[in-house]
Amino acid sequence: GTWEKLIEADPNHTEALVMLSRAHYFLADGFLALQAPDNEAVAKQEFATYEKGTNYGERALVLLDPAFGEAMRAGKKFEEAISKIESKATPAAYWYAVNLGRFASKKGIQQRLYYKDKLRATMERVLEVSPKYFWGAPDRYLGAYFALLPGIAGRDLPRSAKHFESSLAI
């Protein structure tokens, strides 16, 4: 497609990378996921699509916030590095996280738990710097996040409800 051609010509085309991350999420979530339960080949394609969306989002995130990339290369903990991103990196961080969250969910409970802190830190920073992004998406995400966690891992239904209410207000 057009966005792939843009990043072939310019691998640092951040807008195209963000749009590819977003497009892969919507392809997987809005089309492939609906067919995947009945079709193993489509389920594999769905998983691969979330993975590609995660990778495009990560590439855009590193380009949009070079300090994040530098911190990661210096061996900083992801949660620390993501906590300092600027609002200009919001689209990349958001689409990175939603793709990663679905990717982890498809891998199973162990992967969901493995990535939960990264996902929470990313979305909390997005909420902090761009609370109205994508019509209150950070609050919607965190609403689902706290509702879907296993109890032992931090499920918090009152906190979930507050995030959903904040999203609806936006």
Side-chain angles (χ1 to χ4, degrees), residues 15-26:
E15 186 178 350
L17 289 166
V18 168
M19 291 307 292
L20 280 165
S21 183
R22 181 177 173 181
H24 279 78
Y25 176 80
F26 281 117

Side-chain angles (χ1 to χ4, degrees), residues 31-105:
F31 180 69
L32 298 172
L34 302 175
Q35 299 172 40
D38 300 325
N39 186 320
E40 188 176 327
V42 173
K44 287 180 182 178
Q45 184 183 5
E46 176 193 13
F47 177 77
T49 302
Y50 286 127
E51 186 174 29
K52 283 179 79 174
T54 300
N55 292 336
Y56 284 127
E58 183 177 31
R59 284 174 59 189
L61 181 56
V62 168
L63 290 168
L64 286 168
D65 201 312
F68 170 80
E70 289 170 19
M72 294 305 299
R73 284 188 294 280
K76 299 281 184 189
K77 195 171 178 191
F78 178 89
E79 292 83 355
E80 180 184 340
I82 200 75
S83 74
K84 294 177 175 67
I85 65 166
E86 303 279 332
S87 62
K88 66 184 176 193
T90 292
Y94 177 79
W95 295 110
Y96 161 81
V98 295
N99 275 291
L100 180 61
R102 291 295 169 99
F103 172 85
S105 291

